[in-house]
Amino acid sequence: MISTSVEFRREAIALALHRCRIGTLKLFDGIDWDTFCRQAHPEFSPAGWHLGHIAYTEEMWLLQRCAGISPVFPKYRQLFAADSLPKKERVYLPTFAEVCCYLETVRKNVLDYLIKAPIEEQERLWQFIIQHESQHCEIIAFILQMQRKEKTIGEKEAGINILPTANNLHSSDSSMIEISRGKFEMGNDGIDALDNERSRHPHYLETYCIDTYPVTCNQYRKFIDIGGYQNPQYWSKAGWKWLQNNPVNQPLYWSNNPIFDNHPVSGVSWYEAEAYCQFIGKRLPTEAEWEKAASWSSETHTKNIYPWGEEELKIYHCNHDNSVGKTTPVDTYPEGKNAYGCWDMLGNVWEWTASWFHAYEGFESYPYQGYSQTYFDGEHRVLKGGSWATRPWALRSSFRNWYHPGVRQIIAGFRCAK
């Protein structure tokens, strides 16, 4: 007889799958053929490819490998597998309707299998699949953002509706929070933890300070106006070389409209964040410093899933899940503050850290070696915190994102430390 707890977990998984899919498909409302299949940037596949890849991955792991069911659309293997076609050849896609049929057929079979699947043994894999869709959903969101940016001619933001800010007094605020020295617990051992988050372990840090808010557009404008992009004194050797090879003079998602002054700067590479820190006399926080500030309670000496504690993530805690579809002022969500008084540590924009992406002690690949281990190469920097497009299943203080330091297409900003 199946226990009530197992039945409850099945129902929770089914609900999460359903909720996640609704949000994924919502991104494609009214999408045209060109937007669906066009490659917005050489480093990223078309939005439509990611949609098909979601179905392919779900089918491969849950139906083929677990249930022993043959592929329903074997012709899609070469097109939607991550290790098959080069990104530039992923533009030759089935129609949106055909990809949706693929998604629906796979999902029906998955839900049929869920009824009898040995959840006690497989729950971690099911959680991985939900998070896999969540992550590709976010990639779809910023690919569509890039395409919208390309279509925008001139400044047209005047009519954009912006969420009201709490008091709009922090656009030039440079206050910092002191985090006292001591041990804290880093990482995550939960059933939803990805392989690179494991295992939870003690970590000691000396006293440091971290910004109360992410760096805002108003603050970053000072770096632009002073000629920061033209002055090598603010840039590391690697950063200056990157800038010469990628001649830019402002963040990718930049606007001079003052209504965005109190929004976090977005669309900066790690090198740009590093240069700003040098300009302001600070530095980027390490991953450990960021995670301690976001998750540790110095009063109770306990680690929390979220900056605000253990309360389930709600829409009023932070800007996430495409609920707004763009950044919001950094002081919009008082309910999301952490125990130390930092704002906006989850959602809005990913935050670059000073740390290279590496394995924690005792790391074990899951569900396959290439998911994380391939990127422990000393060439990827860690980002923390999520963005306005991050789905709830991939939003927690221990979650680790990683990209090459020169990437600026992702929804990334930063905060400073000292």
Side-chain angles (χ1 to χ4, degrees):
M1 177 127 182
I2 299 175
S3 68
T4 304
S5 62
V6 172
E7 280 302 310
F8 176 80
R9 282 146 66 189
R10 288 190 207 278
E11 292 174 4
I13 289 170
L15 179 60
L17 287 167
H18 176 68
R19 288 177 54 206
C20 188
R21 183 57 52 81
I22 288 175
T24 302
L25 293 177
K26 188 176 180 181
L27 288 172
F28 291 87
D29 285 351
I31 196 167
D32 59 50
W33 173 245
D34 178 66
T35 303
F36 184 72
C37 65
R38 187 163 61 88
Q39 190 179 22
H41 187 275
E43 296 299 319
F44 298 96
S45 303
W49 181 89
H50 287 277
L51 192 62
H53 175 71
I54 287 168
Y56 169 81
T57 303
E58 187 172 311
E59 180 182 38
M60 180 184 69
W61 286 103
L62 297 179
L63 298 182
Q64 294 179 48
R65 299 199 179 191
C66 291
I69 299 173
S70 298
V72 290
F73 296 104
K75 63 180 180 179
Y76 289 152
R77 164 65 178 84
Q78 184 178 21
L79 176 58
F80 290 125
D83 59 356
S84 186
L85 296 175
K87 291 183 175 67
K88 66 181 180 180
E89 295 181 21
R90 296 174 179 177
V91 298
Y92 307 108
L93 298 171
T95 65
F96 175 59
E98 289 173 314
V99 175
C100 285
C101 176
Y102 182 31
L103 284 162
E104 291 167 8
T105 304
V106 169
R107 177 54 59 83
K108 180 183 182 301
N109 291 342
V110 162
L111 293 177
D112 288 344
Y113 175 60
L114 177 59
I115 296 171
K116 57 187 177 183
I119 291 301
E120 303 95 322
E121 302 168 17
Q122 296 179 0
E123 185 172 4
R124 187 181 177 193
L125 180 60
W126 287 82
Q127 295 293 343
F128 171 82
I129 291 299
I130 295 166
Q131 293 185 75
H132 175 268
E133 177 165 343
S134 298
Q135 291 172 275
H136 280 273
C137 187
E138 178 160 359
I139 296 173
I140 291 166
F142 70 70
I143 287 171
L144 296 178
Q145 178 178 246
M146 281 191 280
Q147 292 181 314
R148 286 193 298 270
K149 180 179 180 295
E150 291 174 4
K151 293 178 180 178
T152 301
I153 301 174
E155 292 291 327
K156 293 184 178 180
E157 295 108 335
I160 293 177
N161 294 320
I162 302 298
L163 284 184
T165 177
N167 51 38
N168 206 31
L169 295 178
H170 304 294
S171 59
S172 61
D173 190 291
S174 58
S175 65
M176 304 190 82
I177 303 291
E178 183 176 281
I179 312 292
S180 298
R181 67 183 181 182
K183 286 185 178 181
F184 79 105
E185 292 182 357
M186 189 173 182
N188 182 5
D189 282 333
I191 192 67
D192 60 344
L194 299 175
D195 59 1
N196 61 72
E197 292 177 78
R198 296 169 179 254
S199 293
R200 189 160 159 169
H201 58 279
H203 190 93
Y204 179 85
L205 289 172
E206 293 291 346
T207 299
Y208 64 98
C209 294
I210 193 165
D211 282 354
T212 306
Y213 304 92
V215 172
T216 63
C217 292
N218 187 53
Q219 291 172 311
Y220 197 86
R221 184 178 289 108
K222 296 178 177 65
F223 177 68
I224 296 174
D225 291 345
I226 206 171
Y229 280 91
Q230 293 76 43
N231 193 336
Q233 78 175 82
Y234 302 125
W235 299 77
S236 64
K237 184 177 179 180
W240 188 248
K241 181 180 179 181
W242 171 85
L243 185 61
Q244 304 319 297
N245 293 331
N246 301 271
V248 295
N249 57 17
Q250 62 187 30
L252 180 61
Y253 305 122
W254 182 256
S255 170
N256 284 314
N257 194 320
I259 63 173
F260 294 102
D261 277 1
N262 205 31
H263 289 230
V265 66
S266 177
V268 293
S269 67
W270 185 90
Y271 295 122
E272 290 167 279
E274 179 194 39
Y276 175 87
C277 289
Q278 176 68 19
F279 159 71
I280 207 71
K282 298 179 183 180
R283 61 173 174 81
L284 287 171
T286 65
E287 178 183 8
E289 288 172 337
W290 191 99
E291 189 167 329
K292 181 177 182 180
S295 64
W296 190 248
S297 171
S298 58
E299 293 184 1
T300 62
H301 299 284
T302 56
K303 181 183 180 68
N304 296 314
I305 297 174
Y306 308 111
W308 54 87
E310 297 294 301
E311 181 187 347
E312 183 181 357
L313 175 63
K314 300 292 185 183
I315 202 69
Y316 54 76
H317 283 124
C318 61
N319 180 8
H320 72 288
D321 205 18
N322 295 288
S323 59
V324 180
K326 53 183 173 285
T327 59
T328 49
V330 297
D331 56 357
T332 300
Y333 297 91
E335 297 294 328
K337 285 195 298 183
N338 70 354
Y340 296 102
C342 293
W343 293 63
D344 240 20
M345 296 204 80
L346 286 192
N348 224 0
V349 294
W350 286 99
E351 298 184 16
W352 287 107
T353 73
S355 300
W356 293 106
F357 186 53
H358 69 281
Y360 294 153
E361 186 176 350
F363 171 82
E364 294 182 2
S365 295
Y366 184 88
Y368 61 99
Q369 183 172 327
Y371 179 71
S372 295
Q373 189 167 334
T374 300
Y375 303 98
F376 298 147
D377 55 6
E379 296 182 3
H380 293 76
R381 296 284 185 176
V382 175
L383 300 100
K384 301 286 283 185
S387 76
W388 54 260
T390 305
R391 309 301 303 280
W393 303 277
L395 200 64
R396 51 185 175 272
S397 299
S398 61
F399 192 94
R400 310 172 76 196
N401 197 358
W402 66 90
Y403 273 99
H404 279 286
V407 172
R408 63 205 306 260
Q409 289 72 32
I410 55 177
I411 308 166
F414 62 101
R415 73 179 70 216
C416 305
K418 199 170 184 177

